[in-house]
Amino acid sequence: MQAAWMLFSSLMFASMGVCVKFASAHFSSAELVFYRGVLSMVFMALYARSRGTSLRTRHPAMHAWRSVIGVVSLSGWFYAIAHLPLATAVTLNYMSSVWIATFVVGGSLILGRPDPRGARQGPMVLAIVASFAGVVMLLRPAMAQNQLFAGLIGLMSGMCAAFAYLQVMAIGRMGEPEIRTVFYFAVGTLLAGALGMTFTGVSPWSWRHALWLPPIGLLASLGQLAMTRAYSMSKNHGGTLMVANLQYAGIVFAALYSVFVFGDAISLTGWAGMALIIASAMAATVLRARAVASAPAEEH
């Protein structure tokens, strides 16, 4: 069942990307971030109430910093979705595990100290190199179509997602339930989106175009809850690594949407790049699990 929950979560996040892609033709990234925040905040508040979870926190500064990093990642991802093929944008955002591995290796080299758990750095370095080779293969068509800037923004969104993940880990160690963390992230996206709209303005409203907005927040919330459910079941019944690696099914779902919904032509080099990124990200996830015994669910 935990595998089914994770596959459902990956499908929800990929489906959210489809809605963002359609909505981005009529709304700015700031507006999409704002509406995602509004809908997710309401959904999570109702869910917390149904579960009897208090939303009062003793760590507002930690949640605020996590929201800042997460909003930067989310805004970058939405921008990449608007300007790149959906499969490319989703793949770049799913590289957070590779970025975390990069931080681990970089920190060990700077401090001159090996991993305290005795994990070898060699396999992790190979996973990092392979992943960035996959990025080059994936972005080659984007370079030819003058989409390199959007590709770099998508790559940055994955890096910021890694920072946000580390912050979620720190908040989790303080005993904060994940429902509360997701709720305050939604509040942060609402505020950041509203601030961004003061600079970008508000797009002309059309109910036909606005129909793409509610699914963005709903699918994001369903995806996060399903992911949390999958991780909680795996911790009770085993299979945490399997669940963690199944999240990369989201790239496969995004690729199928990209081809069959948007008619994107993905080259053989692009498919090979995605496969290389998935394989190296899965390897990085396994290696990361050796260093972090109990890690929270990632967010998208």
Side-chain angles (χ1 to χ4, degrees):
M1 284 303 298
Q2 56 261 44
W5 278 113
M6 181 54 77
L7 290 174
F8 177 76
S9 170
S10 300
L11 179 61
M12 293 298 99
F13 283 125
S15 301
M16 182 194 73
V18 173
C19 297
V20 170
K21 185 77 171 176
F22 279 117
S24 63
H26 312 287
F27 300 95
S28 68
S29 294
E31 290 176 292
L32 295 179
V33 169
F34 172 78
Y35 291 121
R36 182 198 187 279
V38 171
L39 296 165
S40 294
M41 184 184 70
V42 172
F43 185 93
M44 294 307 300
L46 294 175
Y47 182 71
R49 183 180 179 85
S50 69
R51 296 293 299 271
T53 302
S54 172
L55 295 176
R56 187 186 300 273
T57 180
R58 294 183 296 175
H59 310 287
M62 294 286 288
H63 285 288
W65 179 235
R66 181 265 177 274
S67 294
V68 168
I69 302 173
V71 165
V72 172
S73 173
L74 184 68
S75 301
W77 189 32
F78 281 7
Y79 181 89
I81 289 176
H83 295 86
L84 293 172
L86 180 63
T88 302
V90 170
T91 302
L92 294 175
N93 184 259
Y94 269 78
M95 284 186 61
S96 57
S97 289
V98 176
W99 282 112
I100 293 174
T102 305
F103 300 155
V104 171
V105 172
S108 298
L109 293 176
I110 292 174
L111 297 176
R113 290 182 295 186
D115 190 330
R117 292 178 179 266
R120 296 180 179 179
Q121 301 292 352
M124 197 172 289
V125 172
L126 289 176
I128 294 169
V129 172
S131 180
F132 284 104
V135 170
V136 173
M137 296 168 66
L138 184 64
L139 289 182
R140 281 186 63 188
M143 296 176 190
Q145 300 172 23
N146 297 320
Q147 297 174 326
L148 181 58
F149 179 74
L152 294 176
I153 292 296
L155 197 60
M156 179 273 296
S157 76
M159 183 179 68
C160 290
F163 279 118
Y165 177 83
L166 295 175
Q167 189 68 11
V168 169
M169 287 178 60
I171 294 174
R173 292 192 188 101
M174 294 181 176
E176 290 284 79
E178 190 157 352
I179 294 175
R180 192 179 298 161
T181 302
V182 176
F183 171 80
Y184 281 109
F185 175 54
V187 173
T189 58
L190 182 156
L191 296 176
L195 179 62
M197 288 165 62
T198 62
F199 296 97
T200 63
V202 179
S203 302
W205 187 266
S206 167
W207 285 107
R208 182 166 60 90
H209 300 153
L211 289 176
W212 292 108
L213 298 176
I216 293 176
L218 179 62
L219 292 171
S221 298
L222 289 175
Q224 190 60 47
L225 291 175
M227 181 177 286
T228 302
R229 177 68 172 167
Y231 271 99
S232 63
M233 291 180 68
S234 67
K235 290 175 181 177
N236 293 331
H237 304 290
T240 301
L241 282 179
M242 177 196 67
V243 168
N245 283 323
L246 278 176
Q247 69 178 306
Y248 298 107
I251 297 177
V252 178
F253 290 134
L256 294 175
Y257 277 135
S258 197
V259 171
F260 294 107
V261 176
F262 298 104
D264 295 326
I266 302 176
S267 65
L268 289 177
T269 303
W271 285 110
M274 279 191 284
L276 191 56
I277 290 173
I278 292 173
S280 57
M282 291 173 67
T285 300
V286 173
L287 295 169
R288 184 190 69 195
R290 297 177 182 176
V292 183
S294 181
E298 298 185 36
E299 297 177 26
H300 300 282

